Structures are given as C-alpha cells and as structure tokens.
C-alpha cells in the first residue's frame, strides 16, 4: 500500500461518528487510509466500503488508546509495513460523565491517556517523517469546550480539549516552513455516538436543532481548515459566536452563565 502517487491518512476513532466521516472524506480526496479504533468489524466494514467506493488502499489497526503502549505499537506496525503517514487525524475521544469525585481515578487516568497523552505521542511519533518528506497535515479534534469556561460534570473534558488547542497552536509555530500544517478542530454538538457512549443522550436531545452539526460537515471543515493552515477552526456560526462571547464577556459573567447551564448538557451527579 501507500504507492508514491497517493498520500496516506491515519485516523484514530474511525469506527464511528466524526472519525468515520473523516475516513470517508480523506478517501474521497484520494488518500489511502489507516483506520484505528477498538471495534475491528466496524473498521473492516469501513475499509472495504472506502476501497470499493474510492479505489484507495485501506488498512485496519485495532488498538485501545487507553493502553499507554498503543501509540508506539501503531507506529511500529506501520513502519514495519513500510507505510508512511502524511496526514494524522487525532480524533478518538469520549467523555467521563458526572462529578469528579463520583468517578474512579482509573476512569480519569484512561481518559487522559486517550484524549491527551495518545494525541501528544502520536504527533511526536509521526511528525518527524512528515517534516523529512516536506509535507504533512495533523488535525487534532478538540471541541468548543476547550474555548469556553469549564463546566460542572465531565470535569477534565474542557481541560483536555484546551490542551489540544494550545499544543496545536505551539506546533503551528514550530512547523512553519516545513510543509507541515496543523489544526485544532473545535466543533460543538455533533450527531454521532458520543452522547450514547457518555450516557447523556436523553439530556442533550433537548438541545434545539440549530445547535447540532453533522459529522460530515465537521470533517469537511477540519479538512479544509488544515489545508488552509488555520491553527484553530471553530465549526458552525453559532459556536463561533459563543466562543467570541466567552472571550469578550467579563470572565465572571461568562463563568456564571456556564455554571447555570452546565446541567443542560453535562451529567453532573
Ligand atoms: N459529538 C460531539 O458533540 C462532539 C463535540 C465536540 C468534539 N467532539 C470530539 O470528536 C471526537 C470524535 O467523537 P464522536 O463525536 O465522533 O464520538 P463517537 O461517535 O462516540 O466516536 C468516538 C470514536 O473514538 C473511539 N474511541 C473511544 N475510546 C477509544 C479508545 N480507548 N481507544 C481507541 N479508540 C477509542 C471510538 O472507537 P471504538 O469504540 O471502536 O474504540 C470511536 O471510533 C472526540 O474527540 C470528541 O471529544 C465530539
């Protein structure tokens, strides 16, 4: 796989939602794919569909990113197979619902491993090859939650997503002139399996229709943003407006608004 004529994209969390939409988009744009997540059958089905529909190569690497050894194992497997990664989409993610002290430390440690450490390590592993070849793209799927004040419930989520934004901004400076471009993609509420996995489906179903994005529009926005070298990309007019408000309102006022509304979208028990 990975003939010289075609670039290759590695997408984490490709078995559902935004990651699946990224896989379909990169394949439609002519990239070979490496798809990773824990659910093998889903990845195999998606790989087959992308091969048939778009004539690209698609490889499946099953990995649990909560395992600290997973990023290096993914890198080693691809290096051994001679697969060079040109585009990396760090997308895998979920939320840990409820208040901090009603969760176990293991839940939180796994969360940090998947949403923060694995993203930082995969970027560290794949960036040198991109720089050496003079071309690379990294999309870190963050969230509007990383740009607004922290809310009650899902305690580390906003901090993890803010980490990705700052890390991406820093890398965008460090990669100037290398041919590598990086973007932190910040969507708001998106139709996917996220809220089922997190157990907040009933809660968020009450959000008005105008608040929702599709996984396909989020992926398209992320793809266009990284190609245009935009370090931070907020998806959707309504979310751009909220982020502006969060930035320019007096901090206490913005924090108070989030505190009052946390219960509408986060499980806080
Ligand atoms: N949906 C939203 O409203 C929303 C808003 C802003 C940002 N985001 C972000 O968008 C990203 C994608 O979420 P989504 O909405 O598409 O959710 P989703 O439909 O639940 O998909 C999450 C993906 O992450 C993978 N994943 C979860 N834990 C994993 C682990 N331990 N190891 C490897 N893969 C793992 C899942 O695959 P397996 O279960 O097969 O492993 C799945 O493919 C996340 O980073 C999320 O924080 C979502």
């Amino acid at each position: 796989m990975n003939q010289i004529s075609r670039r290759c994209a590695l997408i984490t969390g490709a078995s559902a939602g935004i990651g699946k939409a990224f896989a379909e988009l990169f394949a439609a744009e002519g990239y070979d794919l490496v798809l990773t997540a824990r659910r093998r059958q889903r990845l195999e089905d998606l790989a087959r569909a992308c091969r048939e529909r778009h004539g690209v190569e698609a490889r499946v690497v099953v990995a649990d990113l909560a395992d600290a050894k997973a990023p290096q194992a993914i890198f080693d497997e691809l290096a051994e197979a001679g697969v060079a990664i040109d585009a990396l989409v760090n997308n895998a993610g979920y939320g840990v619902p409820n208040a901090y002290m009603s969760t176990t430390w293991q839940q939180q440690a796994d969360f940090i491993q998947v949403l923060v450490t694995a993203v930082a390590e995969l970027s560290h592993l794949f960036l040198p090859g991109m720089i050496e070849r003079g071309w690379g793209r990294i999309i870190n799927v963050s969230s509007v939650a990383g740009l607004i004040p922290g809310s009650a419930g899902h305690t580390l989520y906003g901090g993890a997503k803010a980490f990705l934004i700052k890390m991406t901004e820093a890398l965008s400076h460090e990669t100037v002139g290398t041919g590598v471009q990086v973007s932190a993609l910040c969507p708001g509420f998106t139709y996917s399996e996220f809220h089922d996995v997190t157990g907040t489906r009933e809660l968020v179903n009450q959000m008005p229709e105008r608040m929702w994005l599709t996984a396909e529009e989020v992926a398209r926005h992320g793809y266009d943003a990284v190609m245009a070298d935009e370090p931070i990309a907020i998806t959707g007019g309504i979310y751009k407006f909220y982020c502006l408000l969060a930035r320019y309102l007096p901090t206490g006022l913005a924090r108070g608004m989030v505190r009052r509304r946390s219960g509408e979208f986060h499980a806080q028990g």
Side-chain angles (χ1 to χ4, degrees):
M1 77 176 277
N2 200 31
Q3 296 148 5
I4 348 153
S5 55
R6 269 205 305 255
R7 293 192 158 126
C8 184
L10 165 61
I11 297 155
T12 74
S15 60
I18 297 169
K20 183 167 183 249
F22 263 119
E24 282 162 353
L25 177 55
F26 271 94
E29 295 285 346
Y31 286 72
D32 288 336
L33 300 173
V34 177
L35 307 175
T36 184
R38 293 167 299 183
R39 287 172 288 179
R40 177 183 292 281
Q41 194 53 53
R42 289 225 188 173
L43 296 175
E44 299 283 8
D45 292 347
L46 178 60
R48 191 177 330 106
C50 288
R51 280 185 215 113
E52 285 170 9
R53 247 181 256 145
H54 304 291
V56 298
E57 297 288 335
R59 173 185 289 264
V60 164
V61 178
V62 174
D64 181 352
L65 291 174
D67 176 352
K69 297 194 193 84
Q72 186 69 52
I74 294 170
F75 179 82
D76 290 346
E77 181 172 331
L78 296 178
E80 203 168 305
V83 178
I85 296 302
D86 305 295
L88 167 64
V89 184
N90 282 308
N91 163 78
Y94 61 99
V96 180
N98 301 319
Y100 201 46
M101 293 319 296
S102 64
T103 63
T104 64
W105 174 245
Q106 193 56 51
Q107 281 178 295
Q108 299 296 348
D110 287 349
F111 175 83
I112 295 168
Q113 184 64 40
V114 176
L115 275 91
V116 176
T117 312
V119 176
E121 188 175 359
L122 285 169
S123 304
H124 195 262
L125 286 165
F126 286 104
L127 249 176
M130 294 178 185
I131 293 171
E132 203 178 299
R133 292 186 298 278
W135 198 94
R137 300 288 182 267
I138 298 180
I139 299 170
N140 292 323
V141 181
S142 175
S143 168
V144 162
L147 291 163
I148 63 174
S151 58
H154 306 238
T155 322
L156 302 187
Y157 189 79
K161 294 304 192 183
F163 174 97
L164 296 191
I165 293 166
K166 296 295 181 193
M167 172 188 150
T168 307
E169 254 180 337
L171 285 179
S172 78
H173 299 310
E174 293 181 20
T175 51
V176 168
T178 64
V180 175
Q181 296 174 187
V182 293
S183 277
L185 177 62
C186 304
F189 290 103
T190 305
Y191 293 116
S192 72
E193 296 173 14
F194 183 91
H195 298 100
D196 305 305
V197 173
T198 307
T200 52
R201 173 62 59 204
E202 230 172 277
L203 203 60
V204 297
N205 271 353
Q206 290 157 31
M207 308 291 292
E209 184 74 25
R210 67 174 183 282
M211 302 289 290
W212 288 91
L213 303 161
T214 65
E216 290 71 25
E217 69 184 302
V218 171
R220 169 48 75 184
H221 183 229
Y223 182 93
D224 291 346
V226 81
M227 295 304 164
D229 203 10
E230 262 181 68
I232 302 173
I234 302 167
T235 314
I238 195 163
Y239 291 109
K240 286 190 175 84
F241 174 69
Y242 286 153
C243 290
L244 263 183
L245 268 187
R247 189 165 185 174
Y248 292 110
L249 277 181
T251 313
L253 187 58
R255 193 179 293 138
M257 285 168 74
V258 169
R259 181 174 298 182
R260 277 193 301 281
R261 302 202 59 189
S262 290
E264 291 170 33
F265 47 89
H266 275 176
Q268 306 176 34

